[in-house]
Amino acid sequence: MLDEAESQAILGVSVAEKTLQKQPGRAMKRTTAVAWRVLGQVLAKVPQKEKLATISGQQVDASTCFGRSLQLLDDLGEPDSVEKAITLRASALYELHRGHDDRAKSLRRQSILLFRRLGLDKEALQTKDLVAW
């Protein structure tokens, strides 16, 4: 099932990126950012294996996917977005499982603060518990 999820996520990112090139609007940037995050989450399912996917001829890992997602979300000029908080949390979990504790703690902290700014205290608490040390 993981292979099927990966295949679908790769397709989603490929279609989203192509559409974004033709229609570079805000909604398409947000959709593309989410597609990248989902691919990152699929690739992160087995973080020790450094799973790679090929997008437009380039090899990407989960970290690259999360980075592209955050870049697109930052390009929107909305520093306080739920999508960004979710992506930060997913990236924190990935880094934690890879043993990159300092990076994971920083991402976790950013995610919690953003959830709180958005008034999503329940999400902030879940993130704190989910990525607890």
Side-chain angles (χ1 to χ4, degrees):
M1 287 190 7
L2 191 57
D3 288 339
E4 179 63 23
E6 181 182 343
S7 175
Q8 292 299 313
I10 290 169
L11 178 61
V13 166
S14 297
V15 169
E17 282 288 348
K18 287 176 185 170
T19 305
L20 181 61
Q21 289 175 4
K22 294 177 185 173
Q23 302 171 8
R26 297 177 64 76
M28 197 61 228
K29 272 190 182 180
R30 188 173 291 107
T31 298
T32 305
V34 171
W36 276 106
R37 181 186 70 231
V38 169
L39 177 57
Q41 289 173 302
V42 171
L43 295 177
K45 287 295 180 188
V46 187
Q48 299 82 1
K49 290 191 177 182
E50 291 297 322
K51 190 107 170 105
L52 299 174
T54 303
I55 303 291
S56 300
Q58 299 289 333
Q59 294 281 315
V60 297
D61 62 5
S63 183
T64 303
C65 294
F66 294 134
R68 176 68 174 143
S69 179
L70 290 169
Q71 174 196 16
L72 287 164
L73 293 167
D74 285 344
D75 287 351
L76 289 173
E78 299 171 3
D80 293 349
S81 79
V82 173
E83 296 302 341
K84 185 172 182 178
I86 294 169
T87 302
L88 288 166
R89 178 175 57 199
S91 187
L93 283 168
Y94 174 66
E95 295 298 340
L96 176 66
H97 291 298
R98 292 179 64 207
H100 299 161
D101 292 351
D102 290 341
R103 177 83 176 126
K105 286 178 186 178
S106 174
L107 291 164
R108 173 183 173 258
R109 188 174 326 114
Q110 291 175 56
S111 178
I112 291 169
L113 290 172
L114 187 47
F115 278 128
R116 286 184 179 148
R117 276 199 309 268
L118 292 165
L120 300 171
D121 294 332
K122 183 178 177 184
E123 289 293 327
L125 286 172
Q126 287 177 342
T127 300
K128 195 173 185 179
D129 292 342
L130 189 62
V131 191
W133 287 274

